[in-house]
Amino acid sequence: MDRGAVKRFGFGGSGYRRSPARAVAPMLVLTVFPLLAGCGDTGGLVAAGATATASGPVHLWPDRQGATVPPADPAGAPPEYVKGIPPVRDEDVHAVDPVALVQAELRLHPKAGAGAGADGIPAETAAAINACKKGDADPEACPVLTPYYRDLTGNGTDELIVGIEFPDRKMSVRVYTADRDGRLNRIMATTQTVVSVELAGRDVVLRVPSGNRGYELITAWSWEEKQRSMLPTREQIVRVPANPQGPGDRGPGQGPGPGGGPGSGSGPGLGPGSGPGAGPGPAPDRP
């Protein structure tokens, strides 16, 4: 190729011009290639090793005829209308004085002694309750403790949760709900030797000493629409922690009381409490 052709086509000498695209192309190839080389892992499943073979339950002595078990009688009771208190307006239980409420119940059951069902209040405790003043929430002066409020029935309004201190660490836990007619109905009541009373969602959870040292019985009580009361729905026996934060001696203690449920009361059933303690679920934040 002659010098003229070289000059005309831009090759050689000072007239040489390299195309920008040709200059960048090798760099692009070198840059993209390492990226493509690192895409071997496609995110597929990776074996985790051998797993144990699943084994279903085995029915022992399948030819044996089992006993016929009648359905259990619910431990709760129909709601009890509390008489002797002013009507509850707009289903607002916050306006109910818990001391006046328990005093009204004492008037309804004047002969109920210790152990006589859910209203079995010892004479000295009953006398202390009758001496309480309105709004008195001092457990040293009044056995009726500061109430708590929580929607336990799922109707969008709070229920009233009342605790009454008895001697020997016993406690009566009661739950009340108001209806549209302004009546206050007791839907839960029981008396037990209590380690703690807690709220978990819409359940009242009661922890009591079990019959075996080192273990506690935990019972969750839930609203039952058909019974219109709180019933024990779940029970669990758990080992006491090495350093419990509650009473020093958690067992052996008084186990489940008579009446078909963990509670010793015959009332609508009192159980997993909603007291000041914060339980497995949200803490009672509306005292």
Side-chain angles (χ1 to χ4, degrees):
M1 181 179 294
D2 59 12
R3 294 179 178 272
V6 170
K7 290 182 178 181
R8 286 195 305 271
F9 290 98
F11 292 101
S14 60
Y16 176 79
R17 297 190 305 274
R18 176 174 294 179
S19 171
R22 292 183 180 181
V24 176
M27 296 182 64
L28 291 175
V29 173
L30 293 177
T31 303
V32 174
F33 181 78
L35 295 177
L36 295 176
C39 295
D41 185 3
T42 60
L45 298 177
V46 179
T51 58
T53 303
S55 177
V58 178
H59 188 184
L60 304 184
W61 303 291
D63 297 331
R64 177 181 177 271
Q65 184 177 0
T68 301
V69 181
D73 185 22
E80 178 179 342
Y81 169 44
V82 181
K83 301 178 182 179
I85 61 172
V88 182
R89 295 183 178 181
D90 301 324
E91 302 178 55
D92 183 13
V93 296
H94 293 257
V96 177
D97 178 23
V99 172
L101 169 61
V102 178
Q103 290 173 342
E105 290 188 309
L106 284 176
R107 291 192 296 270
L108 294 174
H109 306 278
K111 297 182 180 180
D119 286 296
I121 298 180
E124 60 272 24
T125 304
I129 292 174
N130 286 325
C132 293
K133 299 178 181 179
K134 182 178 180 180
D136 194 348
D138 182 6
E140 297 295 331
C142 182
V144 181
L145 304 180
T146 302
Y148 283 93
Y149 305 89
R150 177 70 65 89
D151 180 8
L152 300 175
T153 63
N155 64 351
T157 61
D158 284 341
E159 273 65 54
L160 170 63
I161 307 164
V162 174
I164 306 173
E165 284 285 9
F166 284 11
D168 301 326
R169 292 181 181 174
K170 288 187 177 182
M171 185 179 184
S172 177
V173 180
R174 306 180 179 191
V175 177
Y176 306 83
T177 187
D179 60 24
R180 296 180 180 179
D181 296 327
R183 295 178 302 182
L184 191 67
N185 300 305
R186 188 174 72 183
I187 59 174
M188 176 178 165
T190 195
T191 300
Q192 296 193 51
T193 302
V194 173
V195 174
S196 68
V197 182
E198 304 165 349
L199 280 177
R202 282 164 39 192
D203 289 346
V204 179
V205 181
L206 192 66
R207 303 175 70 104
V208 302
S210 73
N212 298 319
R213 180 174 295 276
Y215 290 86
E216 291 177 354
L217 176 65
I218 302 177
T219 306
W221 293 71
S222 308
W223 169 251
E224 171 55 48
E225 183 67 27
K226 293 183 178 180
Q227 295 289 328
R228 306 298 296 173
S229 63
M230 304 282 288
L231 298 179
T233 55
R234 295 182 302 278
E235 286 189 347
Q236 183 182 15
I237 297 179
V238 298
R239 184 187 296 273
V240 176
N243 298 309
Q245 300 299 317
D249 183 9
R250 289 191 172 185
Q254 180 179 353
S264 59
S266 60
L270 198 158
S274 56
D285 53 359
R286 297 193 296 275

